[in-house]
Amino acid sequence: MKYFRDIGSYFLMLKKVFSSPTKGSVLRELIIKEINDLILGSLGIVAFISFFVGGVVAIQTALNIDNPLIPEYLVGFATRQSIVLEFAPTFMSIIMAGKVGSFITSSIGSMRVTEQIDALEVMGINSLNYLIFPKIIALLLYPFVIAMSMFLGIFGGWVAGVYGGFSSSEAFIQGLQVDFNTFHIVYAFIKTIVFAFILATVPSWQGYYMKGGALEVGKASTNSFVWTSVLIIMANYIITQLLLS
């Protein structure tokens, strides 16, 4: 019964998030702050992880196809497919669930513990719209983060493949172009938008409805990461079945 109650509270929260909107000028400032915290603040770790994971994918592919009968361009092809289809949209979102999700849960949870949310309600402000709606709008820019992750992942693969002596630059670029399907990019960004909504709302839900003190804020952050990761993986499976099968 607890799971049904949790699911119900989540959807009731979403209903209230999009009702009784906050004043436009206030909302604009909140959105800018959330973009700075959630998007700009994540670019460094996304760039670092994407570049080196792309390099690892290229090296592992090259080491596992050390056969003269297998074309050299397969290194670039495998790197492109791995980065575009799964690593950038899905696994980067799970990483972001740890960074962004925990930040959202802890910040809202701390406001709950210190009764700041109660103060917003007393002032007649829709606290759900005030706290969560700007995060949803800010994370509409999340596809740009994933696009950067794709580019740096492939670039990292090129650097590792070419300068590591595993592939020539011409063969790697040929692999990037072989059997390129533009719908794969569309598929990746559709997933990204869904994941962005999950990243904005599930950690907010965990933080908003938590009870207790500072210790419970930590527990809520852990639960936030687990719930967000599970929902991202489930959504990934469903979207893949619908769009690629």
Side-chain angles (χ1 to χ4, degrees):
M1 290 300 293
K2 180 181 181 299
Y3 291 112
F4 289 109
R5 187 169 62 252
D6 288 342
I7 293 170
S9 68
Y10 173 73
F11 284 104
L12 288 173
M13 180 198 76
L14 291 182
K15 179 182 177 182
K16 294 178 182 177
V17 165
F18 294 100
S19 63
S20 302
T22 305
K23 186 179 177 181
S25 58
V26 176
L27 199 59
R28 188 161 50 249
E29 293 180 7
L30 291 172
I31 291 171
I32 293 172
K33 179 181 180 300
E34 297 297 349
I35 290 173
N36 183 63
D37 291 340
L38 304 181
I39 300 297
L40 299 180
S42 302
L43 294 181
I45 187 68
V46 170
F48 179 82
I49 293 174
S50 300
F51 181 84
F52 285 101
V53 168
V56 169
V57 169
I59 292 171
Q60 289 185 347
T61 302
L63 292 176
N64 283 283
I65 61 168
D66 189 15
N67 187 314
L69 298 178
I70 299 177
E72 188 180 352
Y73 68 75
L74 190 61
V75 176
F77 175 80
T79 302
R80 183 198 75 201
Q81 293 296 91
S82 300
I83 296 295
V84 171
L85 291 177
E86 282 305 315
F87 170 74
T90 305
F91 292 101
M92 188 54 68
S93 294
I94 293 175
I95 292 168
M96 292 288 278
K99 184 187 183 301
V100 172
S102 297
F103 172 79
I104 292 173
T105 302
S106 60
S107 61
I108 295 179
S110 297
M111 291 182 70
R112 172 64 72 186
V113 169
T114 56
E115 299 181 350
Q116 294 180 55
I117 294 177
D118 296 330
L120 290 173
E121 296 288 347
V122 169
M123 290 187 291
I125 297 173
N126 180 357
S127 59
L128 284 168
N129 180 268
Y130 182 89
L131 295 173
I132 301 174
F133 185 73
K135 293 175 173 56
I136 296 174
I137 299 301
L139 281 169
L140 290 177
L141 296 176
Y142 185 58
F144 292 100
V145 177
I146 298 304
M148 185 190 76
S149 175
M150 290 179 184
F151 172 78
L152 289 175
I154 292 173
F155 179 67
W158 178 83
V159 170
V162 173
Y163 290 96
F166 299 103
S167 173
S168 67
S169 179
E170 293 76 12
F172 191 92
I173 293 173
Q174 181 187 0
L176 296 180
Q177 297 171 338
V178 168
D179 292 333
F180 179 70
N181 186 348
T182 54
F183 182 71
H184 287 169
I185 301 294
V186 176
Y187 156 78
F189 283 120
I190 289 173
K191 290 203 299 185
T192 299
I193 292 170
V194 174
F195 298 162
F197 186 78
I198 293 173
L199 281 170
T201 57
V202 174
S204 299
W205 164 63
Q206 284 286 331
Y208 190 87
Y209 289 107
M210 63 141 292
K211 297 178 181 179
L215 179 62
E216 282 70 26
V217 172
K219 291 180 179 179
S221 296
T222 302
N223 290 336
S224 165
F225 174 72
V226 173
W227 272 96
T228 306
S229 300
V230 168
L231 288 174
I232 286 173
I233 292 170
M234 289 176 61
N236 182 48
Y237 176 79
I238 293 169
I239 293 170
T240 302
Q241 283 278 43
L242 291 175
L243 297 183
L244 294 186
S245 62

